Amino acid sequence: MKAADMTSEPIEIVDVIAHPLQQNLPVPTVTSWGTYTTVGMVLVEVRTRCGLVGVGETLGRFAPKAYAELIHTALRPRLLNQDARDIGRLWASMRRALSGRSGGMLIEAIAGVDIALWDIAGKAAKQPIARLLGGMGRTEIDVYAAAVNWGPDEQADRELRRYLNEGFTKIKIKLADPVRDAIKRVERMRQQAGDHISLCVDANWAYDLDDAVEIGRALADNGYFWFEEPLAPENEQGYEELRKRCSVPLAAGESNYTLDQATRLLSRRTLSILQPDIARSGGFTETRRMVDYAAAHGVAYAPHIGMSGIICETASIHLAAAVPNFKILECECDRSPFKTLLADLEPGCLRQKNGVLDVPQGPGLGIEIDWDAVKTLRAE
Ligand SMILES: [Mg+2]
């Protein structure tokens, strides 16, 4: 089919292939959950009869082969012979592959397919996804460095200095137990960074309400710009109470799969910043719904990237470029091979200059996958 025909003719899906990948991280990530040395993901490839190929990413850190199996057995049959651009209809069909409330592996699996379908839609229209989404038309966006790991002081100092040397002006610090050590870390990082650098923290659910109030006080005293995931995501009442007792903006959302899991904290404006991960929260389709709902309630959007690959990062950049309530993008500096080897685009941590990152302008996601690298990085 000629490109000129693509606007009217169906773009028929002829195959869906999930590639489970697993690799060691060059630098272990250390959070309140522990130390991560290996990481997985699933690259989703959607092929069409006219030759267009879309790629997406499913967040599958710990069992990428199980996610790939889910995509092949539960989602692929619902996609074959369908028009790749009927994304909303296909999303609803995939949602019905498993019963029960929305969430978990199913929505993460759908995310990978959804991103690939948007990639196809962009390639068919010869437009970057950011433009296809309509909106703000940004060509560059603000980023912050993630993260200074939870480790010995000397290591934290070293990591902070590295980010400063690389030109970042906004940096995230990981916190964990015990509270006394966390408060010392908050103070130490502020002293080391100076007053002109913006700092925030991520606790990855480390605290109960009383501990979080205490940490919140230290963050306010030291001028931090957000307090991320202080409590477990299910503890919505705790977040509401903390909101009353903590003057630092609260950020969360990477643990929410769908909009319904975020409505309470958004509609009451408990959160100041929503951080969905596009490779977890059902891809562009569901993440955009979450971000729009956040905008309607005066809540900003700051994409979560994490130990992901270049597809998740690039998809997040496109959505960030398009929506009015975008605040800042997480620039994960783990130098995961999924970020550095998988495509022809360098990861954000290497492309950014002075905390600003360009938005790819090619059709779709604007990246070309290195299929030899996909073979090399495959989960054994
Ligand atoms: Mg986080």
Side-chain angles (χ1 to χ4, degrees):
M1 190 189 301
K2 284 182 195 159
D5 301 329
M6 285 176 185
T7 47
S8 54
E9 297 295 319
I11 297 182
E12 186 189 345
I13 297 170
V14 293
D15 208 355
V16 178
I17 306 162
H19 304 268
L21 311 181
Q22 191 144 31
Q23 286 299 304
N24 293 327
L25 285 170
V27 182
T29 293
V30 189
T31 77
S32 66
W33 282 62
T35 301
Y36 300 93
T37 53
T38 64
V39 67
M41 62 163 269
V42 178
L43 188 155
V44 180
E45 177 189 2
V46 176
R47 296 184 182 171
T48 64
R49 191 166 301 286
C50 68
L52 288 178
V53 175
V55 293
E57 177 172 341
T58 281
L59 188 151
R61 288 175 190 162
F62 307 119
K65 286 164 131 179
Y67 283 88
E69 178 66 18
L70 178 63
I71 291 165
H72 285 145
T73 56
L75 304 186
R76 185 174 177 273
R78 290 169 180 268
L79 297 160
L80 292 180
N81 310 120
Q82 303 297 310
D83 190 328
R85 286 175 301 184
D86 291 347
I87 301 176
R89 181 173 65 78
L90 296 178
W91 204 102
S93 169
M94 288 189 285
R95 165 65 190 89
R96 292 180 71 82
L98 300 179
S99 61
R101 293 183 69 162
S102 293
M105 287 177 73
L106 176 66
I107 301 300
E108 291 168 331
I110 291 174
V113 175
D114 181 271
I115 294 168
L117 296 178
W118 277 96
D119 190 26
I120 291 169
K123 284 170 174 165
K126 297 184 176 172
Q127 297 287 340
I129 295 172
R131 184 162 294 284
L132 218 57
L133 292 168
M136 307 307 287
R138 298 186 187 95
T139 55
E140 47 183 39
I141 56 174
D142 286 343
V143 300
Y144 68 92
V148 171
N149 287 292
W150 180 252
D153 281 343
E154 303 70 40
Q155 185 194 327
D157 293 351
R158 231 181 6 255
E159 290 180 352
L160 181 77
R161 216 169 304 124
R162 196 187 96 206
Y163 297 142
L164 292 172
N165 289 340
E166 288 170 358
F168 286 103
T169 57
K170 303 181 179 75
I171 298 166
K172 184 155 87 185
I173 316 293
K174 290 285 189 184
L175 294 185
D177 269 329
V179 171
R180 186 179 307 181
D181 289 354
I183 291 175
K184 280 189 194 153
R185 176 60 51 86
V186 166
E187 293 166 346
R188 184 183 183 95
M189 291 293 100
R190 173 50 74 204
Q191 284 165 3
Q192 301 267 329
D195 288 339
H196 60 294
I197 296 296
S198 299
L199 298 174
C200 63
V201 295
D202 184 0
N204 297 96
W205 326 358
Y207 306 118
D208 63 20
L209 178 60
D210 294 326
D211 290 347
V213 169
E214 208 176 326
I215 303 270
R217 223 172 279 137
L219 295 175
D221 289 346
N222 288 277
Y224 279 61
F225 68 88
W226 81 45
F227 191 0
E228 177 176 333
E229 286 203 309
L231 311 171
E234 299 85 359
N235 187 6
E236 295 186 334
Q237 200 178 349
Y239 272 90
E240 286 169 14
E241 185 61 27
L242 182 60
R243 168 74 294 154
K244 293 179 203 151
R245 296 166 66 183
C246 173
S247 61
V248 176
L250 300 181
E254 67 179 82
S255 303
N256 294 338
Y257 295 88
T258 47
L259 171 59
D260 61 283
Q261 295 172 10
T263 49
R264 178 169 157 182
L265 293 183
L266 294 175
S267 61
R268 301 183 184 193
R269 228 276 182 182
T270 304
L271 298 180
S272 298
I273 300 102
L274 183 71
Q275 305 169 292
D277 188 313
I278 200 165
R280 162 171 284 163
S281 302
F284 283 98
T285 302
E286 183 68 14
T287 307
R288 172 116 203 221
R289 291 179 68 220
M290 296 168 85
V291 171
D292 285 347
Y293 189 88
H297 294 86
V299 176
Y301 166 50
H304 173 264
I305 306 283
M307 296 177 284
S308 317
I310 192 76
I311 300 171
C312 170
E313 183 178 272
T314 308
S316 305
I317 292 168
H318 281 283
L319 185 54
V323 296
N325 53 332
F326 166 71
K327 185 181 181 72
I328 192 163
L329 179 104
E330 178 163 32
C331 197
E332 177 72 49
C333 302
D334 60 357
R335 287 171 166 69
S336 148
F338 303 146
K339 290 192 182 76
T340 56
L341 300 180
L342 216 43
D344 60 346
L345 185 71
E346 283 202 308
C349 64
L350 300 179
R351 294 205 323 276
Q352 66 82 29
K353 290 198 173 60
N354 300 317
V356 176
L357 184 63
D358 60 296
V359 177
Q361 295 300 312
L365 290 165
I367 59 175
E368 288 297 328
I369 295 298
D370 180 341
W371 293 104
D372 290 333
V374 173
K375 276 185 214 144
T376 314
L377 301 173
R378 205 173 166 83
E380 284 171 17

